[in-house]
Amino acid sequence: MATAPKLDFGDFTRSKRVLHASQRQHQRAAKSLPLGVSDTYRYWGDDATIYVKRGKGALLWDLDGNRYVDFRLGWGPIILGYGDERVDRAARRGIEIGGVAALATELEASVAELMIEMVPSVEKVRFANSGSEAVATALRVARGYSGRDGFVMVEGAFHGMFDPVLWRTQMESWNPTSGEAPEVVPFGRGIPKAHRDLVGVVPLNDADALEDLFKRERDRIGAFLMEPILGNCCSIASRQRYLHDVRLLCDKYDIVLIFDEVKTGFRVARGGAQELYGVRPDLSTFAKSMGNGYPIAALGGSSEIMKVISGFDGVMHGGTFTGHPVSLAAAEETLRILRDTDALPRVEAWGRALQAELGAVFRAAELPHVFTGHPSMFGIMFREDLPESYRDWTTSNHDLYDAMARALPDYGLLPEPDSREPWFVCEAHAEFDPAGIAGAVAEVIATLER
Ligand SMILES: Cc1ncc(COP(=O)(O)O)c(C=O)c1O
């Protein structure tokens, strides 16, 4: 936890932010890395890409010494705070194990036991190094179990950087009055078209559309892969009734229900979104918050389905770095903290307090708005009503949102500069006064053309 004093409004007034050191670093890095970064979404332009010096608590400093209260939190992993000493101490104990031996350690069962205790549907666990890897394994397990290769995803969902799921709904060019579904296109070049034939895409919160697809393609579809809260799409949330129907439909059509809890897991509740909704998936994937930033991910599921990981004639899973002792030690400590302390209720309460302050600012500016998802990872949509699906993004004022998000770093606040990414909250945010943050947002709103 950070120990900085609560900052007040005066700390978030506009200052002339320079990025000279980041720009120099960009020029250097672009010579050795495409776009000068390790993930294409980290590139914000030659002059605006930020290079990080360090993080502590809820704060990040860039190479120029600009300080930000961070609401990106690495796209979600930081649940306690950057550089959390409890977790880092545990990771150091993991270092003492000496590295990867391509053999199991005691830590694997310790972390698996914690997950089984905390997450309602999880009876068996396998680890991975990234969310993408965990979701890829979930799909393989579902296919191995069902014997069917087709699967269904939700418009606006993101499930990682591997080909079968790299399909996005092109909402930017969709005409809501056309009566047609929006086009589904690959995330860029290099993704084999053959994968498109294996995936059906449906809007969130539309159980009829899901059932129609299940009926039409029942011989081909083996899995429904979904995020109960769309963590890469404004945190648009499933309705309770919808998720309940999803469970029933998957049972009726004999389809494996996979909850991708890479963002919601160990964040929106100790047991993830499945605990919040009281709906049990067959398989779930976790990553981000489970290690407070250390690279660790997991697939969990019912013993019945996980038993297909059974040997060389079963479903294959593994990898040289899988179950790395440093990451597992960090995960063990993070999960213990989340289980035994009120860290998550504090995250939720602070997120709610920030929403209350921001809501007052938007109301004063007569700006229609809704907060979506969960207070620990909430979306802000400039529209009147709660959205049902990604299609409702088209009728939100996302250009205004993007302009706001791009202006906030000059005030020392760092949300993702894209309306579809939620605001993430960590335990260390409690050191900051939500009213001060909202005050800076009010200043920004006042400068924007509407
Ligand atoms: C819901 C969801 N699933 C999977 C992934 C992929 O995780 P990773 O980036 O760790 O590969 C992400 C990443 O943001 C995600 O949000």
Side-chain angles (χ1 to χ4, degrees), residues 130-132 135 158-160 227 232 260 262-263 288:
S130 69
S132 304
V135 180
F158 178 75
H159 295 292
E227 297 165 84
N232 301 273
D260 181 349
V262 161
K263 276 191 168 168
K288 314 241 181 197

Side-chain angles (χ1 to χ4, degrees), residues 103-113 125 127 322-324 328:
L103 291 169
T105 63
E106 290 170 304
L107 283 165
E108 274 141 291
S110 303
V111 179
E113 283 157 13
V125 174
F127 293 104
T322 308
H324 195 288
L328 281 175

Side-chain angles (χ1 to χ4, degrees), residues 290-360:
M290 71 180 280
N292 194 47
Y294 285 86
I296 180 81
L299 165 67
S302 68
S303 304
E304 161 68 15
I305 296 188
M306 293 290 278
K307 75 177 182 229
V308 298
I309 305 178
S310 59
F312 296 113
D313 54 356
V315 168
M316 290 303 290
H317 166 258
T320 305
F321 295 114
T322 308
H324 195 288
V326 174
S327 295
L328 281 175
E332 185 185 32
E333 183 64 16
T334 305
L335 294 183
R336 276 211 191 115
I337 292 168
L338 298 180
R339 183 193 62 180
D340 298 341
T341 73
D342 63 353
L344 288 184
R346 276 157 56 82
V347 165
E348 179 175 344
W350 196 86
R352 258 186 227 293
L354 181 59
Q355 285 180 351
E357 296 291 344
L358 291 174

Side-chain angles (χ1 to χ4, degrees), residues 39 74-76 129-135 157-162 226-227 229-232 260-264 285 287-288 296-297 421 424:
D39 179 310
W75 296 322
N129 300 301
S130 69
S132 304
E133 229 188 276
V135 180
F158 178 75
H159 295 292
M161 289 285 183
F162 66 105
M226 72 163 311
E227 297 165 84
I229 298 171
L230 291 176
N232 301 273
D260 181 349
E261 297 232 40
V262 161
K263 276 191 168 168
T264 51
T285 52
K288 314 241 181 197
I296 180 81
E421 183 71 8
F424 286 97

Side-chain angles (χ1 to χ4, degrees), residues 342-411:
D342 63 353
L344 288 184
R346 276 157 56 82
V347 165
E348 179 175 344
W350 196 86
R352 258 186 227 293
L354 181 59
Q355 285 180 351
E357 296 291 344
L358 291 174
V361 165
F362 299 145
R363 272 194 303 282
E366 295 180 0
L367 198 51
H369 65 279
V370 286
F371 296 108
T372 46
H374 187 268
S376 65
M377 48 176 280
F378 64 88
I380 301 171
M381 290 177 88
F382 292 138
R383 70 193 308 277
E384 300 277 356
D385 309 311
L386 271 178
E388 292 290 325
S389 76
Y390 186 19
R391 295 180 188 198
D392 289 332
W393 175 81
T394 56
T395 49
S396 74
N397 192 346
H398 47 83
D399 289 338
L400 183 70
Y401 177 92
D402 288 348
M404 177 187 81
R406 281 195 298 269
L408 283 171
D410 282 344
Y411 291 76

